[in-house]
Amino acid sequence: MNYEFCIRTDPGLARENNEDSVAFDEPTRLGILADGMGGYNAGEIASGMATTFIKSELGRWLVQAGRNASAKDVRRAMEICVDNANRSIFNAANSNPQYSGMGTTLVVGVFQDARLMLGHIGDSRCYRLRGTELSQITKDHSLLQEQMDAGLITAEQAAVSSNKNLVTRALGVEDAVLLEVNEHRVEPGDTYLMCSDGLSDMIDDATIARILQADAPLEDKAGQLVDAANGNGGRDNISVLLAQTDAGSKKKGLISRLLGK
């Protein structure tokens, strides 16, 4: 499976600093996106620590394990690396008063040919565009999501709620955190979007789908997503990581099998 990747981050229109952090490791097809929280510059410290630590540690493990590593082993490696990152952020927050209470959301994905191992914490998201259908394949760890799950509010009410930023799970806030990990089958032509809530709070799914479906380079799509969020107010930092599979991968794979390659 052939992949193309693109990352973009923008402070938005309402904030001076950018507390988001996004990273990609091409050799291992590892993508990481984090949205920091905390006073002063603490949010960007937490998100930066998360992406740097996980890219280094998980990237090193993936190189050693190779692309044929089992789903079980990749999942376990993700959990261990995220746990270590969580402890590092938590310890930094507790040893430096300036960083007290800092934390970050997280989305981390390992793309292995026809398989995506996807982990997340908090309300940063991952979407998948397959054909013309856009699906949110992560489920927010947030107060709003819990209220929707309990039937207390509707999705329409959640969209205009003032409690959008109340997450129920974050990296670095406590000495232990649970990474939710799910395995997804990847098909040729799929496009995956990891994003902070600075994007998902500013534009609706229909707009995201329209931009991702456009016949345009991946970098242009990333720019259009950021521009659309800013066009609707840009009230938060905006970060995106796009991963797109080659629609011709299935055809190439068939030809290779016919040729015995």
Side-chain angles (χ1 to χ4, degrees), residues 111-178:
F111 294 85
Q112 294 179 292
D113 293 324
R115 180 177 70 204
L116 165 63
M117 295 299 294
L118 182 67
H120 79 288
I121 295 169
D123 62 358
S124 290
R125 295 177 176 177
C126 184
Y127 293 86
R128 178 189 65 213
L129 179 73
R130 177 168 291 165
T132 59
E133 181 180 353
L134 182 75
S135 303
Q136 181 183 331
I137 59 173
T138 55
K139 190 174 185 179
D140 294 352
H141 301 134
S142 67
L143 177 62
L144 280 182
Q145 187 63 57
E146 289 187 354
Q147 291 176 332
M148 284 190 289
D149 291 344
L152 299 176
I153 61 172
T154 65
E156 292 74 21
Q157 290 171 324
V160 295
S161 172
S162 60
N163 295 327
K164 279 188 175 182
N165 303 119
L166 297 178
V167 296
T168 55
R169 199 183 300 186
L171 193 70
V173 175
E174 298 179 345
D175 62 356
V177 68
L178 179 63

Side-chain angles (χ1 to χ4, degrees), residues 16-39:
E16 294 184 1
N17 63 324
N18 191 344
E19 296 190 327
D20 288 358
S21 180
V22 57
F24 170 65
D25 185 53
E26 186 170 0
T28 58
R29 296 175 174 173
L30 167 65
I32 312 144
L33 185 146
D35 179 357
M37 61 193 79

Side-chain angles (χ1 to χ4, degrees), residues 201-215:
D201 281 354
M202 290 290 98
I203 58 176
D204 58 23
D205 288 4
T207 302
I208 293 174
R210 176 180 55 78
I211 292 172
L212 294 183
Q213 288 179 60
D215 183 16

Side-chain angles (χ1 to χ4, degrees), residues 196-234:
S196 59
D197 64 351
L199 181 82
S200 56
D201 281 354
M202 290 290 98
I203 58 176
D204 58 23
D205 288 4
T207 302
I208 293 174
R210 176 180 55 78
I211 292 172
L212 294 183
Q213 288 179 60
D215 183 16
L218 208 60
E219 289 188 358
D220 289 355
K221 294 179 183 181
Q224 289 169 22
L225 287 167
V226 171
D227 289 346
N230 278 327
N232 282 345

